[in-house]
Amino acid sequence: MKTKHALALLIVVASVLAARADETEVLFDGSGIDGWDTARDQQRLEREFAVSELTVVPAPPALAWRFVSKGVSFNDLFLKKPVERPFRQVRVLIRNTGEAVEFGAKVLDANGAEWTAPAVPLPPSGDWRWVGFPRDAWRVASWSQDADGKLDFPLASFTIIAFGVKPGREYQLQVQRIEILRPDPPMATVHAIEVPERWVAGQTIQATIAFSLDKPCTEDDARLILRSGRETLADCPLPLPAPLSKLAAGQRVDLDRIALCVPEYTWGGKATIELKLGEARVQFEPPQPEVTVEQRRAGRTVAEIKRHGGVPTLLINGQPHSGMAWATYSPSVEVFSDFTRAGVGLFTFSGTPTEAGYGLSKTVWVGPGEFDYSEFDRRVQMLLEANPRAYFFPRLYLHAPAWWSAQHPDDIVWLDPGDGHPVPLVHAGGKPAPSWASEAWRRDTVEGLRRLFEHVAAAPYADRVIGYHLASGTTEEWMMWGGNENQWVDYSPANLSGFRRWLQAQYGTDQKLQAAWSDPSVTLATAAIPTKAQRQATHLGSLRDPAREQSVIDFYRYNSDLVADTIGFFAKAVKDLTQREKIVGVFYGYVLQLCGEQRQQNAGHLGLAQVLDSPDVDFLTSPTSYAFRQLGGEGTSHFMSLLGSVHLHGKLWFDENDIRTSLSGGKVGEWGRPADVAGDCLQQDKELANCLVHGAAQWWFDVGGNRYNDPVLMKRIGGLAAKANAVLSRDRSPVDEIAFVVDERSLCFQRVGDPLGNWLLLGQLPALHRIGAPVGHYLASDLAQIGQRKLYFFPTSFAPTAEDRRAVEALKRDGHVLVFLGAPGLYRDGRLDEQGMFDLTGIQLKLSREPAPLRVVLRPDALSRVAAGEAGSATPTYGHDHRTSPIVYADDPKATVLGTLADGRPGLVMREHGTWTAVYSSAPLLPASLLRRLAQRAGVHCYVDTEDVVWASRDLLAVNVHQPGPRTIRLPRTADVSDLYDGSVIASGVDSFQADFPDRGTRVFLLQR
């Protein structure tokens, strides 16, 4: 080992001597794995690799990267550290102690394009070697695009890549050092500089500057900078007579009484003048001037959510705002300017009051009592340079710095790897994660928020802030830590204490807990969090038996209560700290996305009712659903949560429109990516139709390198943003007569990750959207507020509360049709109760524990028995061939059998009760043809007879088609009709009209009463 270390030292020394004319920036020095990321979630890692390990070797300190592929031919590892300036070469000190690879690199530039350098052979060897990637070898990656063909700085990350990977072989690479080499920079000498002693933000000053270079620069950026300590208060571009790269050695540049505009949002106070002249080192012959800056006085801005035009709407200083916004992970003046020109004036970007996640922003809480807001301020300055009148609401990630976690070992998340022996969770970037149950973390994070808000309140941009988007957990979305990585948490002492406090509130006494858990030995002081094995197991197939599994049911109820409580806690803190003058929002409530996989229960998103009840949460958001992003009307659009309930509770919905564009990297179809800009416009027309009709706000987003830099696309986005402003005056009250009612808490009684959780919810949506009428999505706990709908679907009401049962009972009137799926009402008062199914549904149902396929065969006359009409093209069967248990089927002589299970048991039945109709289906995934007949029976108004997606509100109607051609559209009342997108007048005083649709196109109609 000593010989090898000596050889490595000689290599480093020789390289330093050979490169002594270079300026060297160390990007990685071998110490630790902070900043390194596989950019794969745990499920993908397990799918692609049998082994994937990142560790540190101590002598010499180096990153050790070990992996074994299951079939993929490459592996990459991301260093999330920026490269601010151009370079001559990037070089990596590496050795290969495993199988031979081709070693390459890539970077992500400031515009989201990926660039690569040619790979070099790296045979097995115990020796260290430098692998260099010279600047002139870098090209746009074959899978990426770059509009201007320039490598734009700063680079967001540097990635090492192993190509030529073969399955089953072990690869071991060690990285000791990564260096950025730049030519020895020029020396700039400032011969004279005269500026006023007092500067006023937003006004112009005159400056006289003279300087020369000892050799030309390679960079032409020339700026005057105001610096206060380590903070940059402002920088002003210098108007040079010639670029710095064109100046001769020793040539004097005289700038006489040039006008410099002091940025409007410059911080006040004393500052020192510095000059940035390309990459040159700058020396002053006269003393560096010191000046005093008078800061802009920020006004007062109040943002709130109030009903306007029938829907919750953002109001800024009392004026309604469409909520059309741009969100970015990679802030740049250029893109801020692009969206400003498109008419977007609302923005959001990443920040943190303490510690960030996923490398999206720098640590702010750098040590006890020490906070660094420099990056936050730089991002604000970039935005306000592009758009001085912009409003913004930063996305604040709530985490804990590594040093804090080291001081609080009982307050960090622990996971059960499967053996019942928990270990600390390692989150993105190699850091522990704070337990949301930790009172210490909550207290200290609120202090971080208080300090940040004090900083913002003192800032010249204070009145441009309208609120805060609070984020935490997996992918910022308040999914429990480790959710995407299939890590089962949280077994920390802090969370165990939290669980026991929750049990105390639920049961009050040891005796009641023992009775509920069927365990005479358990007490409120000794109750444990169920192990991963216990959480995975069930004793009733796809459902749970409370007699044996109440502890698991309780834990999953607590898990979502904890997430909801944490959100409410921080939302209240923000409201209190901002005098309730700023809006607060979160990602939450993904009950229509996290379906049929472990996150349905593990993520903690089953507490939506609790979050909606919070007076401190103003908006909720999610990405637009990933499930059905096919091009235009081939797919559909829906939000991951229950929009109807969100609006009932007066909350605004923000749609995160991260549909990948054709300008972005990746395959066609991936994340909704079309093949060309024409497809981009189809996708945006569809997504915005959903938002505009329903009164949802939305932001476009550059996640995953998503890009919009095409004039046709940006013009379309600008047009859509203008339409969003135009419809603010319209009545967008809901007109849905069909309610899809989700009982979120019943999902705690379902097996974790059972596919039935998908088929009952997410899988049902495409057909549901194609009934020909709008469908509202609601919580079961909101039934009392939606009693005027006509057709109700209950896909997950396994364990309704007594209040829920009373609300369902109140709907049994006025010709309503109630459709039940799964095992409705099976649980009552904490136990299995088959009679409870009849009491809820009005149909005699039986439970069988024998597995059977979830497929129903329709009888030939099924549709006509539901409602009169033409025979149509009914799907003969529906459901899924997956064998599962338990199976619930009908055994009711008073019910009409419309379809049967494979063994002949009634699987679809209808029972008339005089003033209402009950329908039960054993199988999920009811086809659109059947749903349409149910709507017809209930007297629902259908706008179209075709299986096209329909969204409607009082004054707006959108139709999204798969096949081109004419459609007859029927209205529930007479109206004057015009096309929102193209402005054309279609008809006046009509209750029906014809409209032509392009292939997979969307049209939005204004209905003027």
Side-chain angles (χ1 to χ4, degrees), residues 494-515:
N495 200 43
L496 178 58
S497 296
F499 183 43
R500 288 171 177 170
R501 287 193 300 271
W502 185 90
L503 292 172
Q504 174 73 50
Q506 293 294 313
Y507 293 106
T509 67
D510 291 340
Q511 292 75 16
K512 288 183 179 179
L513 175 66
Q514 291 161 1

Side-chain angles (χ1 to χ4, degrees), residues 448-464:
L449 287 166
R450 185 189 68 79
R451 287 177 179 251
L452 172 62
F453 297 160
E454 281 187 354
H455 175 80
V456 170
Y461 55 75
D463 55 358
R464 310 322 298 170

Side-chain angles (χ1 to χ4, degrees), residues 735-740 768 770-776 788-793 814-819 867 930-945 950 952 970-972:
V735 294
D736 53 87
E737 297 177 323
I738 304 172
F740 189 65
L768 201 66
R770 290 173 169 83
I771 290 177
V775 179
Q788 299 310 308
R789 277 53 178 182
K790 297 179 178 179
L791 173 61
Y792 298 83
F793 290 92
D814 299 336
H816 291 170
V817 177
L818 279 58
V819 182
L930 174 59
L931 299 177
R932 290 176 64 84
R933 290 302 176 95
L934 291 169
Q936 183 180 341
R937 182 180 185 88
V940 170
H941 175 83
C942 287
Y943 290 76
V944 296
D945 291 330
V950 171
R970 289 185 296 276
L971 304 177

Side-chain angles (χ1 to χ4, degrees), residues 183 377 519 601 616 713 839:
D377 285 341
D519 181 355
Q601 287 78 23
D616 304 305
L713 177 57
D839 293 343

Side-chain angles (χ1 to χ4, degrees), residues 609-630:
Q610 185 175 337
V611 172
L612 294 181
D613 281 342
S614 168
D616 304 305
V617 175
D618 296 301
F619 71 85
L620 279 80
T621 179
S622 78
T624 186
S625 177
Y626 297 124
F628 311 111
R629 291 192 177 185
Q630 299 95 326

Side-chain angles (χ1 to χ4, degrees), residues 19-27 82-90 153 179-185 218-219 279:
R20 62 184 180 275
D22 279 340
E23 177 187 63
T24 302
E25 174 191 347
V26 178
L27 200 62
V83 178
E84 299 289 346
R85 295 170 36 227
F87 53 80
R88 180 179 66 79
Q89 184 185 55
V90 182
F153 289 82
E179 294 182 348
I180 308 296
L181 304 183
R182 301 182 179 92
D184 189 45
T218 59
E219 303 172 28
E279 74 275 21

Side-chain angles (χ1 to χ4, degrees), residues 791-844:
L791 173 61
Y792 298 83
F793 290 92
F794 298 93
T796 63
S797 292
F798 318 135
T801 64
E803 185 177 353
D804 293 341
R805 287 178 179 271
R806 287 192 293 271
V808 171
E809 199 66 26
L811 299 176
K812 297 174 179 179
R813 55 175 170 78
D814 299 336
H816 291 170
V817 177
L818 279 58
V819 182
F820 300 91
L821 306 176
L826 177 61
Y827 301 92
R828 183 158 53 184
D829 298 328
R831 59 187 178 86
L832 293 170
D833 180 0
E834 290 192 41
Q835 178 61 31
M837 293 194 288
F838 171 75
D839 293 343
L840 182 72
T841 67
I843 298 174
Q844 295 287 351

